[in-house]
Amino acid sequence: MDILSLTAVELAKAIREGKTTSVEATQAVLDKIAASEDTYHCYVTVEREKALQQAAGVQKKIEAGELTGPLAGVPFAIKDNMCTEGTLTTCSSKILENFVPTFSAEAVLNLEKAGAVILGKTNMDEFAMGSTTETSYYGVTKNPRNPEHVPGGSSGGSAAAVAAEECFAALGSDTGGSIRQPASYCGVVGMKPTYGTVSRYGLIAYGSSLDQIGPLTKDVTDCATVLEAITSHDPKDSTSMKRENTDFTSALVADVKGMKIGIPRDYFGEGLDPEVRDAVLAAAEVLKAQGAEVEEFDLSLVDYAIPTYYTIAAAEASSNLERFDGVKYGYRAQDAEDLHTMYKRSRSQGFGPEVKRRIMLGSFVLSSGYYDAYYLKALRVKALIKKAFDEAFAKYDVILGPVAPTTAPKLGSSLADPIKMYLGDIYTISINLAGLPGISVPCGTDSQGLPIGMQLIGDCFKEKTLIRAAYTYEQSVK
């Protein structure tokens, strides 16, 4: 049995049936990391000994019948912006190069309760700011489908680790597409749930009104299973929702008869690569053949999404990143004579160029003379974008479109032009502004063999509809 080729759910089943053990699976994946990590660089920290100890403990509980869930014994990777007790958590930044949290994020605790084994922390764009995983202080991650290309970002390490079989599933976070876009680039499944579904407690904040944790997995079944495991109401997160029907695995039904799917014309205009366009429209035809009603419509305000997002996200980032000042934790500049110099030098030396750019942009839009002109206006447009989606979901169950305008760009081609990198988020960011769920499902490859992802967008709390549509598509093309 080739353990590494199994999905997370298949592996847990094999462990329950005694065909393999959690320790064997963990050892296999650690061997794979040792063999291919030099090429791909998916991880910032790998906890070899800790993972094997945890796997042994989990295996005992499985054999004693204490752990019977669909993820028990499965090795997971965690994006390096989620706190993990006793394990280095850096946000891929120099400023947190020595930060070891004293607690774990709620989503990580929920995974551990389900019997998951934590392998380590994956590489990401510094403080989740970037779309290519090239802004990391610890070096770039490469796309396992073609190492000359980026894996996407900011959860590029998590997506690449799943694609490279360096873990069975991973957690990422999505502020403007940071789960869905790398999932698309690496040819895996990635989901951003409705805002407030998964607790943000222990997630190091970038844009607090936009951030949401979600799964990156090999297939839709794993995606639904992991989402079900990490979803919980958490009084420690003031934006956490009390939700009733979170049995997402019950939606793994291949049936879309009568489902109304809307395709926004605005998503298929100029700037979209013809190969991506053809693959996504072909995927829509597959769903149509399965009995879904597919039609085109106009989704307004697409052009305003990027300026709105970067105004709000940068404003929240400049506020959230104030706490990194070299005093309480993290990197501290050693050569300062007084307190103010220490603040300035710690931040100047500790943050990378993209983070500084967004802090400056955020401080600018929040400054007294510009607050109304930029930040307040962005909040108003955000409300209009939500309204446009509300009107669309009055007619459609699901909106279908591309995840990104192109397949994964070559390494080094994006950072030279930050604006171009920002424009690459055009199809994903509206979903964060409106707090909606979205899923990326692989739907083909381009002429270079690079994966293409299709994005399905649902109304608030309608993850099950998305999972059903995604599962139907996946089963149809299998």
Side-chain angles (χ1 to χ4, degrees), residues 321-339:
L321 269 58
E322 272 175 20
R323 68 192 73 165
F324 303 108
D325 54 12
V327 176
K328 299 182 235 18
Y329 45 77
Y331 172 78
R332 178 183 298 176
Q334 295 302 320
D335 50 354
E337 309 78 57
D338 58 79
L339 186 65

Side-chain angles (χ1 to χ4, degrees), residues 77-329:
I78 308 292
K79 186 176 178 180
D80 206 18
N81 59 350
M82 291 171 220
C83 289
T84 40
E85 186 181 344
T87 297
L88 189 67
T89 300
T90 68
C91 277
S92 287
S93 178
K94 179 180 181 178
I95 211 156
L96 286 177
E97 65 183 0
N98 57 3
F99 175 57
V100 179
T102 55
F103 68 100
S104 285
E106 192 71 11
V108 176
L109 289 176
N110 285 344
L111 265 190
E112 291 184 320
K113 274 181 210 153
V117 174
I118 308 302
L119 293 163
K121 308 300 286 292
T122 58
N123 199 20
M124 55 185 274
D125 281 295
E126 186 181 0
F127 281 101
M129 297 179 195
S131 310
T132 59
T133 313
E134 291 175 296
T135 69
S136 167
Y137 175 65
Y138 303 100
V140 302
T141 296
K142 293 172 182 168
N143 191 327
R145 308 292 182 208
N146 183 338
E148 288 178 11
H149 291 254
V150 302
S154 60
S155 311
S158 288
V162 174
E165 297 184 339
E166 289 190 15
C167 65
F168 288 89
L171 292 189
S173 67
D174 193 311
T175 309
S178 288
I179 288 174
R180 291 159 289 150
Q181 184 250 38
S184 169
Y185 283 1
C186 291
V188 298
V189 175
M191 186 166 200
K192 175 224 169 275
T194 305
Y195 184 76
T197 298
V198 180
S199 169
R200 290 185 299 112
Y201 180 75
L203 173 70
I204 297 170
Y206 160 22
S208 311
S209 74
L210 307 164
D211 297 340
Q212 190 57 192
I213 293 170
L216 286 140
T217 59
K218 292 180 183 179
D219 67 2
V220 179
T221 304
D222 280 4
C223 182
T225 310
V226 176
L227 183 61
E228 193 171 304
I230 60 176
T231 298
S232 65
H233 173 63
D234 183 10
K236 298 187 293 299
D237 170 7
S238 61
T239 58
S240 172
M241 291 287 213
K242 263 195 176 134
R243 292 188 57 176
E244 300 301 319
N245 56 346
T246 55
D247 55 330
F248 300 115
T249 45
S250 67
L252 293 167
V253 182
D255 175 23
V256 289
K257 285 186 187 65
M259 187 183 282
K260 292 194 166 88
I261 297 176
I263 296 183
R265 287 187 194 95
D266 324 61
Y267 281 17
F268 290 86
E270 61 173 323
L272 181 64
D273 184 294
E275 290 188 274
V276 174
R277 185 197 147 138
D278 293 347
V280 173
L281 291 175
E285 287 302 316
V286 170
L287 289 170
K288 195 174 179 178
Q290 294 297 316
E293 297 169 29
V294 179
E295 66 177 51
E296 292 186 1
F297 74 106
D298 291 315
L299 181 69
S300 55
L301 299 168
V302 173
D303 296 343
Y304 298 103
I306 286 188
T308 304
Y309 169 79
Y310 278 99
T311 302
I312 293 171
E316 294 184 7
S318 76
S319 170
N320 278 324
L321 269 58
E322 272 175 20
R323 68 192 73 165
F324 303 108
D325 54 12
V327 176
K328 299 182 235 18
Y329 45 77

